[in-house]
Amino acid sequence: MAWYELKSADDTRLDELAERFQLHPLHVQDCRDADARIKIEQGDNYHFIVLRPLQLLEGEEELHQSPLTMFVGKEFFITIGDEQCVAIREALERARRAGSDTLPDRLLYLIFDTVVDSYFKAVDTMDDRIDVVEDNVLDNPSPSTLQHIFDLKRALIDLRRIIVNTRDIGMRLQRDSELIDRELYPFFRDIYDHLLRLADSVETLRDLLNNTLDVYLSSVANRTNQVMKVLTVLSTIALPALVISGIYGMNLKGLPFLDSNYGSAIVGGMMVLSTVLLLILLRALRWL
Amino acid sequence: MAWYELKSADDTRLDELAERFQLHPLHVQDCRDADARIKIEQGDNYHFIVLRPLQLLEGEEELHQSPLTMFVGKEFFITIGDEQCVAIREALERARRAGSDTLPDRLLYLIFDTVVDSYFKAVDTMDDRIDVVEDNVLDNPSPSTLQHIFDLKRALIDLRRIIVNTRDIGMRLQRDSELIDRELYPFFRDIYDHLLRLADSVETLRDLLNNTLDVYLSSVANRTNQVMKVLTVLSTIALPALVISGIYGMNLKGLPFLDSNYGSAIVGGMMVLSTVLLLILLRALRWL
Amino acid sequence: MAWYELKSADDTRLDELAERFQLHPLHVQDCRDADARIKIEQGDNYHFIVLRPLQLLEGEEELHQSPLTMFVGKEFFITIGDEQCVAIREALERARRAGSDTLPDRLLYLIFDTVVDSYFKAVDTMDDRIDVVEDNVLDNPSPSTLQHIFDLKRALIDLRRIIVNTRDIGMRLQRDSELIDRELYPFFRDIYDHLLRLADSVETLRDLLNNTLDVYLSSVANRTNQVMKVLTVLSTIALPALVISGIYGMNLKGLPFLDSNYGSAIVGGMMVLSTVLLLILLRALRWL
Amino acid sequence: MAWYELKSADDTRLDELAERFQLHPLHVQDCRDADARIKIEQGDNYHFIVLRPLQLLEGEEELHQSPLTMFVGKEFFITIGDEQCVAIREALERARRAGSDTLPDRLLYLIFDTVVDSYFKAVDTMDDRIDVVEDNVLDNPSPSTLQHIFDLKRALIDLRRIIVNTRDIGMRLQRDSELIDRELYPFFRDIYDHLLRLADSVETLRDLLNNTLDVYLSSVANRTNQVMKVLTVLSTIALPALVISGIYGMNLKGLPFLDSNYGSAIVGGMMVLSTVLLLILLRALRWL
Amino acid sequence: MAWYELKSADDTRLDELAERFQLHPLHVQDCRDADARIKIEQGDNYHFIVLRPLQLLEGEEELHQSPLTMFVGKEFFITIGDEQCVAIREALERARRAGSDTLPDRLLYLIFDTVVDSYFKAVDTMDDRIDVVEDNVLDNPSPSTLQHIFDLKRALIDLRRIIVNTRDIGMRLQRDSELIDRELYPFFRDIYDHLLRLADSVETLRDLLNNTLDVYLSSVANRTNQVMKVLTVLSTIALPALVISGIYGMNLKGLPFLDSNYGSAIVGGMMVLSTVLLLILLRALRWL
């Protein structure tokens, strides 16, 4: 059994292989499309599979995905993927360790399993990030939190699409009698099971992230309410004093206590008293 | 019939049993995975079932779940579960009371039924907690309420996933002629019926919890509106007095009543009058 | 044909009947479960049906439901229901009027039809209540409105579940050749048609009720906006007068018009003028 | 072929026809039910169809619908509908113009097609109204806009239900070999195609209308924000002047410039300067 | 093989062709309907296909779509489309380049593929526009942003409907053995794959756009909160000074420091001190 490993779809060997194994031109074209959709398609004497292993770089919000395309025939196995992507390198290395006489479906299992494992890391990282955002939203909602939510949302949408599309491949492979040996059935069902769990987790994350925006809004509204209360209490404290001092600042005759020696003490007492009464009144009416 | 009870998947007896009954390596591996998904899978001569009984500890928001895995053969029954989890202990004890000659499908029924019963307690506790949050949200919305809603949401998402996945097992078991004796059909249908009711209840709880955030926001907005009104009324009361007293505080000539002995009474009356008129005006225009 | 009417599942006659007609123990147990789910199940020689007729008491938000369980055999008909519930009493009375030689499927039709009719009343009452809440939300949003929306939501979720579950029974019965005589087919299809209409109506109510919370929030936000505007207009009117009168209250030399006899008139004119100009400016800039 | 046109289901001729053509009592009863659901049912030797043509009256929010019931047999055709409804009159007139020897399925086509055309008018009117509401929401959000959104929502829910239910009839009729002649197949498929387009449009309208409430809230929040800014700028302008003039209004000794001839000019300059500095500071800190 | 290219459905040649190839009158009518739905229908000896190629004009929000209708027979191919639409012109030109002996199914592929490619451009443009709106919403939420979101939403709803309806055609064509030669199967599957990717992308865009309204609201609420804080801080700074200076402005006897030469310094110190204490208090209580 021959395994052809290409680093890039621009490798001219791809054209030779295409000719030798009668690969369909559209499949070869898909190999060269950086945005090729995750999928499995049946060719004349082979299966064509596109996966998109994931990498979440430290400190970056965006998901890095890089296509890994495979032609799985009865007697040949072609992989095309850039090993600069850690997830692709790990997958290929694990397959290589299986030895040179491993059959294509077994190699496919090893690679597919490693790729799906890389999704778990991505989901865990997303979970941690959403946790951080949740805490931020409650403790210190700020515009940068909104930007962060937006970025996480985009990343999560991408992650979800990748997992859901890969799950469809998983479902198809677990019962594809033509491609997969019976012996390997439980192994592919196991991968499919992992993909179901991943899809579950992503739905949970989505649900939680959707929540954060509402909580952000509620949190800010609450703070505004508190600030308003402070302002109102301040005004309530100041206004009686201002009104009364204003009145006694008028150049008019006939105000009481104007000539009293205790005038300022009496009027000061009036100020304090009216403020206290006002606060008690507002409290009693449950307006504050 | 032999029932092998293991306390932990690390027990070396598991490997012996795996060899004797030809348990699939992936199933043995699942037993050792603390996060194994709730599922039923058919092995060569047995069914492999993973359940996740639930415990809601007093005063803790999080759900405690602990896996209970089972291999149900025609002639053997293997259970692996940590009895420190109350729900697992109860399930196993009920099965033990059935006597040593009970058949595997009957044991499965007893355990499955007890586990599903433990879900009812969890759903009831969640219901009570959501009730408390609902009341908090209306009476006293605060950031800690938001935190509480968040925690409940996470717990409810977990609970829902557990119940939905268990329901799928329930549906499969009630018509699995290979594993279950005809006699027991109505009993498994009864469990399935309970799981449908649980799924119904969880949907209701979810619907209600989703509501609370909107109500929180509405409730806070309402309070802010009220505080604003208080502030505006205070300003309305104070401003005419401040303006008039300011005017009479100016060191200018020609102001009316400056020399009148009733000046302060007249001006004081003007203050009260303008405030009252302003309040009446705002009221009449329905601005307050 | 024998019709056995039991007022309560605690009646010991139920055990006798269970023995005589070989009723399944789980069905008998369901009869005694106050929370039994709405369902239809096929026993050995009978059908077991649980319905939950509805009563909306005057002035109470909650739905009162009381189980009505039936065993419909070829030659016997057992009903268990508490006639204190008006809807159950009406259903049984209508069935009794049909005469003692009526066949079980005909009796089932009469009872089922009456129960479904009781749902129409419940849906109509809910519709009226949601109408009232909608008006409240627009005219006078208050915390008690929020409480009301919450209660209606809970009631509506219950109502929906009951109708949807009953609809499933309706669908099954309209094509159950074993239980229902061909002649009665159009009648059961008619009930099913009513249940479809009810489910339609409940969806509409749900949609409308979900709206009210958003409208509540919008309505409160609008009122806050209006109160803010009033406050700002008041401040705009007062501030120029306060600033100018403050300036002329200073014990400083060199202010213009200090010694003019028309000083107060001139300065008063400045106050009015600056206020008017400020208001015009804000208006022109569309800031108010 | 005989076509019996009844203006009302209370017409006694209906009973005669029911007897002559063996119409099922439940169908006759449905004719007399003003709320009968849109549906098609097969009788012994006829099809029973209920449609609900629509009328949107000028200046009224509510949809006016009036039932049009039909019995379509091989040799007879009965229509029951109130011609005061324009849509019913148009449908019947178009059918009449087809001549007296037209077969029932052809008559049904003519009527059904006209009724579906009347839906297009309703959808267009709703679209225009939602456009108006969208503009209102952005330009001038007011409580009456909220009321309008509410009314449109109710109307749209009704419209959607009518179109969806009619679409189900359309789907059934396009492949009903018993009722419809093969020749007419493309014509009924054409109607079905129209109904799909209508359902599409209604979904779009629903999506847009659901948006308006959120936009309303955003729009009001934006206006409140703007009003707040105006108030804050006003306060920022006034406060330094008020504080400084207050200080110089105190009856204390030792204030600088008290005796200077340029005192008021200097202090006035301080007021303007501090205000400008404050505004620049707030701007620089991006607080305004 | 004959290809008839018509620029407009009003061309009288259409009637001749309709007669010659027995085109169904309803299909001819659809050609003349500017709002014809995207669809595929089977005629007696041909397939009738309506596509709606897309154009997003620079600086305009709305999508321009123009129908392209085709009759695909075994021996003839009729296209009707206005070449003023760039996407239609490109599609037809690519088909023309294939040479005059190309079979109808091959021509259909070339046209269909080009039309679907035009969707990618539309989706990319929408993506860019949503990116711009997202940035606007965070940096500078304004009513014009709301208007923009509204317009994008309408455009996106249209785009989604077009893509989903075209996808249905794609699904049907990839397995239509009557119309399509086996050789071309992979090519039509490739188009279908593109349509799936497009539908994925549109869902993502929809999700993101729906978010923007919530973010808008959160962003505005945050700004209002900030403005409120500024106002409250300003008030906190000014109020002690105003109250104290008001008190010392009163024409009363007995105030301390009235006669001190350092009176203004002492009182000024009191003002600063009380303001600082107040700010520290608010900060300590976490009220600001």
Side-chain angles (χ1 to χ4, degrees), chain D residues 197 200-201 204, chain E residues 31 33-39 50-57 60-69 80-89 115 118-119 122 126 151 153-166:
Chain D
R197 210 159 91 192
D200 261 10
S201 302
T204 301
Chain E
C31 294
D33 177 3
D35 295 327
R37 211 166 152 271
I38 291 171
K39 67 178 167 187
V50 182
L51 296 179
R52 301 187 75 82
L54 276 179
Q55 237 182 323
L56 260 166
L57 296 187
E60 276 189 50
E61 227 55 76
E62 256 180 273
L63 294 164
H64 287 264
Q65 30 174 306
S66 166
L68 172 62
T69 47
I80 307 163
D82 182 357
E83 292 199 30
Q84 291 197 315
C85 169
V86 176
I88 292 181
R89 190 169 60 239
V115 168
S118 81
Y119 294 173
M126 288 300 288
D151 293 344
K153 182 122 199 171
R154 261 193 194 260
L156 199 57
I157 289 173
D158 280 353
L159 184 57
R160 184 169 166 263
R161 193 164 54 188
I162 288 168
I163 287 175
V164 165
N165 288 344
T166 313

Side-chain angles (χ1 to χ4, degrees), chain A residues 10-39:
Chain A
D10 298 328
D11 196 327
T12 53
R13 279 195 296 157
L14 180 56
D15 299 301
E16 295 164 28
L17 291 167
E19 206 171 337
R20 178 152 28 130
F21 297 114
Q22 292 174 289
L23 308 180
H24 197 285
L26 283 171
H27 292 157
V28 175
Q29 190 180 312
D30 271 341
C31 294
R32 289 176 173 146
D33 176 3
D35 295 327
R37 211 167 152 271
I38 291 171
K39 66 178 166 188

Side-chain angles (χ1 to χ4, degrees), chain C residues 127 131 134 138 186-187 189-190 193 196-197 200-201 204 207-208 211-212 214-215 217-219 221-222 225 228-229 231-232 235-236 239 242-243 246-247 249-255 278 282 287, chain D residues 24 26 33 35-37 39 41-42 141 143 146-147 150 153-154 157 161 165 206 213 216-217 220 223-224 227-228 230-231 234 238 241-242 245 248-251 257-261 264 267 271:
Chain C
D127 199 352
D131 260 359
E134 273 185 13
L138 283 171
F187 292 90
R189 199 172 53 195
D190 191 54
D193 194 62
L196 287 181
R197 210 159 91 194
D200 262 10
S201 303
T204 302
D207 224 348
L208 289 170
N211 235 11
T212 50
D214 288 337
V215 174
L217 197 54
S218 303
S219 196
N222 211 54
N225 177 269
M228 285 300 311
K229 271 194 192 167
L231 185 58
T232 306
S235 304
T236 311
L239 282 177
L242 286 177
V243 168
I247 288 169
M250 295 191 296
N251 302 318
L252 287 170
K253 291 173 185 167
L255 284 163
L278 193 52
L282 292 180
W287 281 352
Chain D
H24 197 285
L26 283 170
D33 178 2
D35 295 326
R37 208 164 154 275
K39 67 179 165 186
E41 276 179 16
Q42 190 159 1
L146 282 179
Q147 179 68 57
F150 245 145
K153 182 124 198 170
R154 262 195 193 258
I157 289 173
R161 193 163 55 189
N165 289 344
R206 228 182 142 204
L213 262 183
Y216 184 97
L217 198 53
V220 169
R223 276 153 195 271
T224 302
V227 172
M228 285 299 311
V230 169
L231 185 57
L234 283 179
L242 286 178
S245 68
Y248 277 91
M250 295 192 295
N251 302 317
F257 317 121
L258 267 187
D259 299 318
S260 158
N261 279 333
S264 57
V267 170
M271 287 177 184

Side-chain angles (χ1 to χ4, degrees), chain C residues 178-202:
Chain C
E178 210 169 319
L179 179 61
I180 310 293
D181 188 85
R182 262 201 102 72
E183 196 86 333
L184 286 172
Y185 272 27
F187 292 90
F188 277 96
R189 199 172 53 195
D190 191 54
I191 296 181
Y192 180 55
D193 194 62
H194 288 172
L195 284 163
L196 287 181
R197 210 159 91 194
L198 283 163
D200 262 10
S201 303
V202 167

